[in-house]
Amino acid sequence: MAPPFVYINGYPGVGKYTIAKELVKLLANAQLLDNHLLIDPVAALYERSMPEYQGLRKYVRKGLLDSIATSTSLKDVTWIFTDSQSSDAVGSAAVADYIHAAETRGSPIISIILNCTLEENCYRMNAESRGKTKLHDCEVLIEVRETEELYLFGGDREFPLNVTDLTAYAAARKIHDFIKKVTPKEDAKLVLGD
């Protein structure tokens, strides 16, 4: 079996990217593809409300995922993806691209669902280190949290994690331990280095 796709989903500002950077350090041969590497080139051209926005997002996402799925150079890499996808039609279609790439590659998907309190979420969202193209408006975040449910894969390879009181390293450590738990023993050295 190919190394897994670790899919970290959560509302904007919950800490996905910061935690994923720590997780990369804990796994044997991991690379991170942050969702803003897919969003920012599209956002440079189109506003989210423009009709071309979602089509170009899908084109960029699918192209990168197809390349990862079929690459012989990257076949031993554990991929960590960050995302903020809901269970609506647009979010489900985006997740379907990850599922297709994982199936093509023969990789299991390990789903990590990050959450924290609204107060902590707003606090983190306004950190100075947060990129310019990321959401900074707590009122918009409140609306998103009230109207959108995060996409869930379900099953025994899904790990919900409340990160309200956790450092990025502590959260990454818990995710690492979960990956270890669900990774077959014969694949542990490749994925975990154990």
Side-chain angles (χ1 to χ4, degrees):
M1 183 176 286
F5 281 5
V6 180
Y7 183 84
I8 301 176
N9 197 16
Y11 292 117
V14 75
K16 299 178 297 285
Y17 179 64
T18 305
I19 292 166
K21 287 191 302 182
E22 292 296 326
L23 183 60
V24 165
K25 298 174 195 175
L26 297 174
L27 298 175
N29 186 23
Q31 289 190 34
L32 170 60
L33 185 62
D34 177 52
N35 61 322
H36 278 274
L37 291 174
L38 308 176
I39 293 170
D40 293 351
V42 178
L45 299 174
Y46 300 110
E47 297 291 324
R48 289 179 189 243
S49 59
M50 294 178 174
E52 300 89 351
Y53 180 82
Q54 285 300 334
L56 186 54
R57 280 276 310 272
K58 181 171 182 66
Y59 179 80
V60 170
R61 179 179 57 245
K62 191 152 177 30
L64 283 170
L65 290 172
D66 287 349
S67 179
I68 288 168
T70 58
S71 171
T72 56
S73 302
L74 303 173
K75 67 180 176 54
D76 292 331
V77 172
T78 295
W79 282 95
I80 302 169
F81 302 101
T82 63
D83 215 343
S84 184
Q85 294 297 342
S86 67
S87 59
D88 68 8
V90 172
S92 296
V95 172
D97 291 337
Y98 290 90
I99 293 169
H100 175 75
E103 289 171 349
T104 300
R105 187 177 191 235
S107 292
I109 294 179
I110 299 173
S111 169
I112 310 299
I113 307 298
L114 300 183
N115 61 67
C116 65
T117 64
L118 177 59
E119 180 180 37
E120 181 66 16
N121 206 166
C122 287
Y123 173 77
R124 291 178 183 189
M125 186 186 308
N126 288 301
E128 286 184 28
S129 61
R130 195 161 159 78
K132 286 188 235 179
T133 61
K134 294 184 173 191
L135 180 64
H136 290 269
D137 187 335
C138 193
E139 294 302 315
V140 172
L141 173 68
I142 291 169
E143 182 180 338
V144 167
R145 286 178 58 134
E146 288 176 352
T147 60
E148 297 180 13
E149 289 191 31
L150 291 172
Y151 184 93
L152 302 175
F153 287 85
D156 61 355
R157 286 197 178 116
E158 185 155 84
F159 182 51
L161 181 60
N162 186 317
V163 296
T164 301
D165 297 317
L166 296 177
T167 65
Y169 175 79
R173 192 78 227 165
K174 287 182 178 286
I175 295 167
H176 173 274
D177 292 347
F178 179 75
I179 292 169
K180 185 174 185 174
K181 176 181 161 189
V182 298
T183 298
K185 287 188 183 359
E186 62 271 12
D187 297 329
K189 186 166 180 74
L190 178 65
V191 175
L192 302 163
D194 296 343

